[in-house]
């Protein structure tokens, strides 16, 4: 029902910034909670930031005060502004859309293809 396409990744130096975008299509964007996950080589995928359908954000401790998640429902897009980037932020970043169906008691997740973020000097 939902297709997600990430963009904005790339190579940046430590201390630099990147803005990731995730464009959604195929469903009603405003009904979904959105999130950014990341996975570094040899590590498990971890939640970086999430935002509810109502716009309330949450962040992993490792990125608090550096990253900002936001959404623009009119554009069907969620963003991740990443500032003060560190080498340990290097990972593939994945966009996630999720919705809980109360009637079926079932959670459904949709994922983008991922975008590489590399922080290196």
């Amino acid at each position: 029902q939902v297709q997600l396409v990430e963009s904005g990744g790339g190579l940046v130096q430590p201390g630099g910034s990147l803005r990731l975008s995730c464009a959604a299509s195929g469903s009603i964007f405003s009904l979904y909670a959105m999130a950014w996950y990341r996975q570094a080589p040899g590590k498990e995928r971890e939640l970086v930031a999430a935002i509810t359908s109502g716009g309330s954000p949450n962040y992993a401790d490792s990125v608090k005060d550096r990253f900002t998640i936001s959404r623009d429902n009119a554009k069907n897009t969620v963003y991740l502004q990443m500032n003060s980037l560190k080498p340990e932020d290097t990972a593939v970043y994945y966009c996630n859309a999720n919705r809980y169906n109360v009637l079926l008691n079932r959670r459904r997740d949709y994922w983008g293809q991922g975008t590489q973020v590399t922080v290196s000097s």
Side-chain angles (χ1 to χ4, degrees):
Q1 293 183 354
V2 179
Q3 294 80 47
L4 304 172
V5 180
E6 302 100 329
S7 62
L11 174 65
V12 296
Q13 293 184 324
S17 298
L18 281 175
R19 187 194 191 207
L20 305 183
S21 298
C22 173
S25 63
S27 190
I28 303 175
F29 178 78
S30 61
L31 297 178
Y32 287 83
M34 303 294 295
W36 289 95
Y37 289 76
R38 68 186 181 188
Q39 187 166 23
K43 299 182 65 177
E44 294 187 2
R45 183 175 59 187
E46 64 174 343
L47 176 65
V48 177
I51 187 166
T52 68
S53 60
S56 181
N58 287 284
Y59 301 95
D61 288 341
S62 59
V63 306
K64 285 182 178 178
D65 301 322
R66 297 191 298 120
F67 291 10
T68 302
I69 187 171
S70 61
R71 65 191 297 160
D72 187 338
N73 289 343
K75 298 181 179 179
N76 289 356
T77 302
V78 63
Y79 305 95
L80 185 67
Q81 178 66 47
M82 304 184 294
N83 299 324
S84 302
L85 284 162
K86 305 174 181 179
E88 50 263 44
D89 295 319
T90 296
V92 177
Y93 284 70
Y94 297 93
C95 181
N96 167 269
N98 62 94
R99 179 173 63 91
Y100 180 70
N101 189 304
V102 176
L103 293 177
L104 297 176
N105 190 31
R106 184 170 68 194
R107 175 189 172 99
R108 182 151 294 177
D109 287 88
Y110 301 90
W111 297 91
Q113 80 287 351
T115 185
Q116 177 71 48
V117 172
T118 302
V119 185
S120 177
S121 59

